[in-house]
């Protein structure tokens, strides 16, 4: 379980405010890295989660090891959060208090849920491996998410 990290939570809270979609330029940039199957999963995500994932993916793309598959994994790293579109306060509560409610348990398991979505959609195996943590590039995505 991710422990309650105040600065991370504050930044994510600020990112979650407002439901404006990503800009058309950001959306086009993101889609250029994804297969059609992966894009279908990306579009299930909330506007705020897509904006966040684009920011993470841009950090990965600037990295020397930011290859296309790693950037795609960064765009999809929070895909499982689409299963329950929790409001910001519930995301914070789940992160700090743990899985006391079924919705919170699903939120805390969003990595595995996202991997299931991607497998069902036919995403590239390399993208799934990065998100599972079985590919060495996993740390690149996680570091960009925490930046």
């Amino acid at each position: 379980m991710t422990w309650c990290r105040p600065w991370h939570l504050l930044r994510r809270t600020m990112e979650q405010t407002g439901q404006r979609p990503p800009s058309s330029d950001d959306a086009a940039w993101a889609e250029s890295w994804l297969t059609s199957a992966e894009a279908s999963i990306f579009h299930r995500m909330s506007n705020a989660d897509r904006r966040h994932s684009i920011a993470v993916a841009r950090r990965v793309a600037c990295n020397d090891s930011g290859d296309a598959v790693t950037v795609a994994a960064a765009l999809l790293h929070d895909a499982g959060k689409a299963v329950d579109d929790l409001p910001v306060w519930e995301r914070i509560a789940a992160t700090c208090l743990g899985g006391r409610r079924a919705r919170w348990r699903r939120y805390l398991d969003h990595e595995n849920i996202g991997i299931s979505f991607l497998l069902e959609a036919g995403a590239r195996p390399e993208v799934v491996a990065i998100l599972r943590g079985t590919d060495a590039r996993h740390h690149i995505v996680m570091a960009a998410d925490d930046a």
Side-chain angles (χ1 to χ4, degrees), residues 76-99:
L76 297 164
H77 77 279
D78 279 341
K81 291 180 179 178
V83 75
D84 282 309
D85 192 18
L86 295 181
V88 175
W89 76 267
E90 276 194 272
R91 289 178 177 214
I92 293 169
T95 302
C96 293
L97 302 174

Side-chain angles (χ1 to χ4, degrees), residues 33-90:
W33 297 96
L34 301 171
T35 66
S36 59
E38 293 160 357
S40 71
I41 300 301
F42 182 73
H43 288 288
R44 287 189 200 173
M45 296 166 61
S46 73
N47 289 333
D49 285 335
R50 285 188 289 138
R51 287 193 320 268
H52 164 71
S53 292
I54 289 168
V56 171
R58 286 193 182 279
R59 288 191 287 273
V60 168
C62 289
N63 186 313
D64 288 339
S65 53
D67 61 279
V69 174
T70 309
V71 173
L75 287 165
L76 297 164
H77 77 279
D78 279 341
K81 291 180 179 178
V83 75
D84 282 309
D85 192 18
L86 295 181
V88 175
W89 76 267
E90 276 194 272

Side-chain angles (χ1 to χ4, degrees), residues 21 113 129:
I113 292 168

Side-chain angles (χ1 to χ4, degrees), residues 101-138:
R101 298 179 178 182
R103 288 166 45 101
W104 295 4
R105 285 189 293 278
R106 285 190 297 271
Y107 174 77
L108 295 172
D109 195 33
H110 72 271
E111 292 96 347
N112 291 322
I113 292 168
I115 288 166
S116 294
F117 287 167
L118 292 166
L119 288 170
E120 290 169 15
R124 289 172 282 184
E126 300 90 345
V127 171
V128 173
I130 291 169
L131 296 175
R132 273 193 172 136
T134 58
D135 184 294
R137 294 172 283 188
H138 177 77

